[in-house]
Amino acid sequence: MIVSIYVRREKGYESNVKFGSWDKTAILPGQELYMLRTNTIFDWSATATEFWIGENQFWQKEERSVVFDPSTSFLFVPSNDWDLLALLFSELHPDLLCKHDLRMCYFNSSCAEVVTNDQPLRLGSNGKYLTVEQDDMLMSGIHFGYSIQTCYLGMFENQEEHGNWHLGT
């Protein structure tokens, strides 16, 4: 079965889920269709063994199951992976504050003021990667009941025992 998920973040556009086929008019000019086989026919997950930020590979040990979860806008990762990612993102962004006790990272500025240095997060296996732009990981503090002058990195701890990554839209 083919399930197609089209995500548009621009204001005025909608995201769509299509069952049974895909629609090439929904693919942006200059982009290509990426088909991904899920681990089983019963869930929306795939296996990843390689993880990168920009051109730097930071994980190539045990495989992780990546669950595609359109019900959230965030990335949820296991505790140990969260610690590593918080460290790596802090090295890229010295002004990023990570609260390890609360398992969240944020900037004391609006998201419009945050410079992400074009270092996307990529995860996959065998040269096939899903890419998450850092700009797409930024969430205004307004969404969490805080000031617009606070910008959160949409990466939180997943408290499941399985060690899955959950990738939102």
Side-chain angles (χ1 to χ4, degrees):
M1 174 183 199
I2 296 174
V3 177
S4 304
I5 302 173
Y6 303 96
V7 178
R8 293 292 300 259
R9 292 184 161 264
E10 297 91 354
K11 189 173 184 164
Y13 289 98
E14 295 180 355
S15 298
N16 299 301
V17 177
K18 192 173 200 174
F19 295 92
S21 69
W22 57 278
D23 182 357
K24 72 178 182 178
T25 62
I27 300 171
L28 291 174
Q31 300 295 315
E32 60 185 62
L33 176 66
Y34 178 80
M35 290 205 178
L36 181 70
R37 183 172 298 277
T38 57
N39 290 332
T40 73
I41 61 171
F42 302 108
D43 66 19
W44 288 10
S45 67
T47 299
T49 57
E50 302 171 29
F51 298 83
W52 303 70
I53 294 180
E55 297 303 314
N56 299 311
Q57 187 173 16
F58 66 88
W59 188 269
Q60 190 180 11
K61 296 179 184 174
E62 58 201 59
E63 45 186 52
R64 292 281 191 248
S65 185
V66 179
V67 179
F68 303 101
D69 188 351
S71 70
T72 184
S73 299
F74 311 118
L75 172 65
F76 290 91
V77 298
S79 184
N80 289 341
D81 295 352
W82 190 93
D83 290 331
L84 177 61
L85 282 170
L87 174 69
L88 295 170
F89 279 119
S90 294
E91 289 174 355
L92 281 174
H93 305 285
D95 53 339
L96 180 68
L97 304 169
C98 290
K99 301 288 186 184
H100 289 264
D101 56 332
L102 299 175
R103 307 310 251 183
M104 66 180 178
C105 297
Y106 63 93
F107 297 90
N108 277 325
S109 58
S110 72
C111 291
E113 298 171 311
V114 174
V115 178
T116 58
N117 303 324
D118 196 29
Q119 301 274 336
L121 173 66
R122 293 183 299 143
L123 45 131
S125 298
N126 303 319
K128 296 275 189 178
Y129 303 105
L130 292 172
T131 301
V132 180
E133 300 295 337
Q134 284 188 38
D135 287 341
D136 292 335
M137 294 179 69
L138 301 179
M139 303 293 291
S140 172
I142 282 217
H143 297 294
F144 302 102
Y146 297 105
S147 164
I148 196 167
Q149 289 300 330
T150 305
C151 181
Y152 285 84
L153 187 62
M155 175 189 76
F156 301 97
E157 179 183 18
N158 171 9
Q159 297 185 5
E160 283 183 355
E161 293 178 25
H162 310 302
N164 295 335
W165 284 44
H166 286 256
L167 182 61
T169 56

